[in-house]
Amino acid sequence: MDAVLEYAPLLWRGTVTTVELTLASAALALVISFVVGLARLSPYRAVRWLAIVYLEFFRGTSALVQLFFMYFVLPLWGIFLPPILAGIIACGCNLGSYGSEVVRGALQSVAKQQHEAAIALNYTTYQRYRYVLIPQAIPMMLPSFGNLLIELLKLTAVTSLITINDLTYMSQIIRAQTALTLEPFLAILVIYFLISTVLIGGMKWIERRTSKGRNTIVRQGA
Amino acid sequence: MEWSWSVAYDVMPRLAAGLIVTVQATLVGALVAYVLGLALAILKMSPYRLVAWSSYWSSEFVRRTPLLVQLYFLFYVLPDLGIFLEPFAAGVIGLGLHFSTYTSEVFRAGIENVPKGQWEAARSLNYSTIQTWRHVVLPQAIPPMIPPLANYLITMFKETPLLAAITVVELFNAANIYSNSHYKYLEPMTLVGTFFLLVSIPAAALAIRLENAFRRKA
């Protein structure tokens, strides 16, 4: 235990990196979710097809393979990404594909009459989504987004394999330097658990805030 | 960077061997996940609050922490405690343990979704506990569970590359070893991605068909 305390600054830096990586890729994933999810509902077949190709590509190949592809293959074409950027892009693109399904599902489950009412009021497509459909769909998305955020946090551990010094990487350093195994791994498992629990608490808080005074049925978990 | 077919042909047999290990790991891991998941679901529904509470939180602990770290734990910590596992065994146990926390929710929801009236009807017909489960509860609980369980099978398939981190030579690691020794990254990594797509897209389509088939019945 003393050894782990001695290495506490390392674990702290790892925690900061993990949280930064999670939040940055969550932001990217959120943008991609909406862009791809909305593209799936486009009236143009080509746009819908592009969205499906994106979805199947990032959902169908393993996250680790995507990460290695970005880190090792892109430089061969002259695209050099620093590890942290490759990590953010890989995690964000991967989770964005899952998120796009959440966005599409939620938008499709908004009552049909709402679409019709917006059209009857002569709203443009932009206005229809911006003022009628998306605000009603967001409370339905939140529980799934909460689950995906935890998946994202867990996915960031994989980026330690491309030398990003996150929590998992730090635990390997401590293992290599002290030959201890139980302590560093147990310590980071507990830290990951605490981060997830805080994130879940935060998402639940946002869920309560957004569903206050609404008659929406918020589905629990997945 | 030019695509070279000779490199692709060269790496192909190794990838095929890796794919077999990947499929084995997925299937054995899924078996572990289903069996442990069912046990965990029953524990979570225990009438004893302490059992239900501790099984819920231990399952949440596993669910909220990364599979990769759990694999490291099994691979590096257990030998220090005197338990030596083959990398493949450690990987399969880790994969199964991690996903049992997901499948347990499927089992729990499936069992809890059988309406209470069905249990009461079975009791009023004087069915024994075994008869109740065998003839009333399970036939209604199992069909809705199949599509989500199939989806977790696909998810586990895509998580198997993590086993590379504990030296299992599965599909991804076979490519990575080749890449590192020949300094060719384009072909092996692209082929691995293609292999994953070739398996997971038809599998996902099949899972959607399963879902529709069982929804019609319900």
Side-chain angles (χ1 to χ4, degrees), chain A:
Chain A
M1 201 63 220
D2 287 347
V4 173
L5 286 180
E6 190 186 321
Y7 284 94
L10 224 54
L11 288 177
W12 172 246
R13 271 200 3 237
T15 307
V16 171
T17 311
T18 291
V19 171
E20 282 173 352
L21 201 57
T22 305
L23 295 182
S25 26
L28 178 63
L30 190 65
V31 173
I32 293 175
S33 301
F34 271 91
V35 171
V36 178
L38 287 169
R40 287 291 299 280
L41 304 172
S42 161
Y44 304 105
R45 181 173 291 185
V47 176
R48 287 202 304 270
W49 266 98
L50 272 179
I52 289 177
V53 167
Y54 178 87
L55 172 73
E56 292 298 345
F57 181 76
F58 279 99
R59 209 173 50 164
T61 57
S62 181
L64 184 59
V65 179
Q66 291 156 19
L67 191 66
F68 270 61
F69 200 91
M70 282 182 197
Y71 192 61
F72 289 108
V73 178
L74 291 189
L76 303 177
W77 289 319
I79 305 167
F80 291 91
L81 296 174
I84 188 93
L85 202 58
I88 291 172
I89 294 175
C91 292
C93 288
N94 189 272
L95 261 291
S97 69
Y98 291 89
S100 76
E101 283 289 272
V102 174
V103 170
R104 182 183 62 86
L107 282 170
Q108 281 180 335
S109 64
V110 173
K112 203 161 187 280
Q113 292 89 327
Q114 299 285 336
H115 285 260
E116 290 161 0
I119 292 169
L121 287 169
N122 210 16
Y123 276 22
T124 62
T125 308
Y126 170 77
Q127 287 172 323
R128 187 154 49 107
Y129 278 95
R130 168 68 184 81
Y131 296 107
V132 181
L133 302 177
I134 292 177
Q136 294 187 71
I138 284 177
M140 287 187 269
M141 298 174 192
L142 288 175
S144 306
F145 276 159
N147 286 337
L148 288 181
L149 188 61
I150 302 307
E151 295 300 322
L152 182 58
L153 168 70
K154 295 194 291 184
L155 185 60
T156 60
V158 176
T159 62
S160 65
L161 298 175
I162 58 163
T163 72
I164 292 178
N165 48 5
D166 74 330
L167 264 179
T168 310
Y169 190 78
M170 294 304 189
S171 72
Q172 287 284 26
I173 289 182
I174 298 175
R175 183 183 71 83
Q177 290 189 356
T178 61
L180 288 173
T181 52
L182 179 65
E183 292 84 351
F185 289 125
L186 197 61
I188 68 161
L189 280 174
V190 171
I191 297 174
Y192 274 115
F193 178 72
L194 291 178
I195 301 174
S196 331
T197 307
V198 169
L199 290 176
I200 289 173
M203 287 303 291
K204 284 259 152 29
W205 182 76
I206 297 175
E207 268 172 49
R208 274 199 306 276
R209 288 278 313 245
T210 44
S211 61
K212 200 181 276 179
R214 281 173 189 268
N215 272 332
T216 42
I217 300 156
V218 175
R219 275 182 303 142
Q220 289 299 311

Side-chain angles (χ1 to χ4, degrees), chain A residues 65 68-69 72-77, chain B residues 1-5 7-8 11 15 175 178-179 182-194:
Chain A
V65 179
F68 270 61
F69 200 91
F72 289 108
V73 178
L74 291 189
L76 303 177
W77 289 319
Chain B
M1 185 68 194
E2 283 292 309
W3 176 273
S4 148
W5 282 106
V7 172
V11 75
L15 293 186
Y178 183 90
S179 293
H182 294 74
Y183 209 70
K184 302 269 184 235
Y185 288 95
L186 176 66
E187 297 83 1
M189 285 299 152
T190 310
L191 285 172
V192 168
T194 315

